[in-house]
Amino acid sequence: QVQLVESGGGFVQAGGSLRLSCAASGRTFSSYTMGWFRQAPGKGREFVAAISRSGSSTHYADSMKGRFTISRDNAKTTVYLQMNSLKPEDTAVYYCAADKFNLLNGLTSDSSSWGQGTQVTVSS
């Protein structure tokens, strides 16, 4: 499908900001809905945000609204997640995902592609 590589994770103090990047391979990047998910220690995978193929539509989990912003640059085949006002509860491995039809609804499919994840640690 598509190869995805996340970057930009790291250590940050509460209240700080990070911007995650997800670089995608392939010439059909613009045909994929893109999204971000995360998995915190001891918890299941959680939907974070998704963006439509053109970038005209976005969807966020309620807990992310107002703090996180997803965007994409189809020319660079890259999707971003700007994270502001970070909290210790945001500590997790963040995964980039690509899907032809889903993600905007918070769902993935058997054909979804995933990156390797990038660790975000927010200290109190």
Side-chain angles (χ1 to χ4, degrees):
Q1 286 285 338
V2 58
Q3 298 295 117
L4 305 173
V5 180
E6 302 96 331
S7 63
F11 295 88
V12 65
Q13 291 185 312
S17 299
L18 285 173
R19 189 175 79 155
L20 306 183
S21 298
C22 174
S25 65
R27 309 172 197 172
T28 59
F29 176 74
S30 61
S31 69
Y32 289 90
T33 298
M34 302 296 297
W36 289 94
F37 294 76
R38 70 185 186 185
Q39 187 163 12
K43 297 184 178 181
R45 185 183 65 189
E46 178 185 21
F47 172 75
V48 175
I51 188 167
S52 63
R53 298 168 183 176
S54 67
S56 61
S57 298
T58 58
H59 178 63
Y60 299 90
D62 288 342
S63 62
M64 318 300 170
K65 292 179 180 177
R67 298 193 301 123
F68 292 6
T69 302
I70 188 171
S71 61
R72 68 189 295 164
D73 186 336
N74 286 348
K76 296 181 178 179
T77 65
T78 301
V79 64
Y80 306 94
L81 183 68
Q82 178 67 46
M83 305 186 294
N84 298 325
S85 301
L86 284 165
K87 308 172 183 179
E89 62 202 64
D90 294 319
T91 295
V93 177
Y94 284 72
Y95 297 93
C96 179
D99 196 281
K100 286 281 192 177
F101 305 105
N102 296 289
L103 302 186
L104 279 172
N105 55 8
L107 302 177
T108 59
S109 71
D110 291 340
S111 61
S112 296
S113 297
W114 295 89
Q116 84 289 349
T118 185
Q119 176 70 49
V120 172
T121 302
V122 184
S123 62
S124 60

